[in-house]
Amino acid sequence: MPGRASRWILAVVGLGIAGVAASLVLIGDPWRFPLALFLVLVLASLYGLHVSRDVTTRLRIQQKLDESRGNLQSLVQDNRTGILVLDAQGRVQFANTAAERLLARGEQGLVGTDFPLSAAAGGIAAPGGELRITRHDGRPGTAAVAVTETRWKGALASLVMLHDITERKARDAQLLHAQK
């Protein structure tokens, strides 16, 4: 690490300057005391500049990290598409607010519950299937389901996206009815 190496170099140089300053003072020549004091002040200001740069860099990095976290949080939580992460056993590890709303589980939450991904479990038959949902107005609806393999906390997981397609299905049904 360049930062660590520069700190070591600064520390060694500082010890050297402090040693020279101490020996000049101990020699007892009064004219050398101002020189020793000057060397100590130079060392202190160099160290102060280095620490100041280090703190400024760390603050800048922390601000960028906080901004990135905020952006990601906004993308996931403010999204109208339901987002779920399921572990290998089909248990919900993460659910955004849209998923909780679409699956009518706002107060109880979804994390820790089982999510049916197979026809045998009464869920969707295959990735790209559909699922019955509760719409934002409380009426029943349909969601398109997309499932992608991902990793969550170092383990294989499934990323499930739920998109409300109720209105599109109603338009398609009307169009089909009009064509008959």
Side-chain angles (χ1 to χ4, degrees):
M1 295 170 112
R4 187 172 289 192
S6 64
R7 281 189 224 132
W8 278 104
I9 292 169
L10 188 59
V12 169
V13 169
L15 285 174
I17 291 175
V20 168
S23 65
L24 287 174
V25 171
L26 291 175
I27 291 174
D29 289 337
W31 66 272
R32 292 187 183 189
F33 179 74
L35 179 61
L37 184 60
F38 172 75
L39 290 175
V40 169
L41 290 174
V42 167
L43 169 67
S45 63
L46 285 174
Y47 183 73
L49 284 174
H50 179 74
V51 168
S52 172
R53 277 191 217 128
D54 191 39
V55 168
T56 302
T57 301
R58 286 179 188 227
L59 285 174
R60 213 175 303 127
I61 291 169
Q62 184 63 46
Q63 286 172 341
K64 288 184 183 225
L65 181 61
D66 291 344
E67 182 180 341
S68 292
R69 283 183 182 150
N71 289 339
L72 181 60
Q73 180 76 7
S74 177
L75 284 173
V76 171
Q77 290 300 343
D78 297 342
N79 200 324
R80 290 179 53 187
T81 298
I83 302 171
L84 300 166
V85 176
L86 311 178
D87 64 15
Q89 291 75 36
R91 203 166 299 112
V92 178
Q93 299 300 306
F94 171 83
N96 72 348
T97 52
E100 289 175 344
R101 188 187 72 251
L102 289 170
L103 298 171
R105 295 293 290 271
E107 291 299 314
Q108 301 95 348
L110 286 165
V111 175
T113 63
D114 292 330
F115 186 80
L117 276 179
S118 67
I124 59 174
E130 295 177 354
L131 187 67
R132 283 189 217 109
I133 59 167
T134 302
R135 302 192 68 218
H136 64 298
D137 58 7
R139 293 181 303 145
T142 304
V145 180
V147 181
T148 305
E149 189 176 281
T150 189
R151 296 193 72 74
W152 182 261
K153 296 183 180 181
L156 284 177
S158 297
L159 176 64
V160 180
M161 307 291 281
L162 305 171
H163 187 72
D164 187 348
I165 58 169
T166 307
E167 291 173 6
R168 188 187 80 198
K169 285 188 68 102
R171 281 191 308 268
D172 291 349
Q174 286 175 349
L175 184 60
L176 187 61
H177 185 267
Q179 287 176 349
K180 287 185 179 182

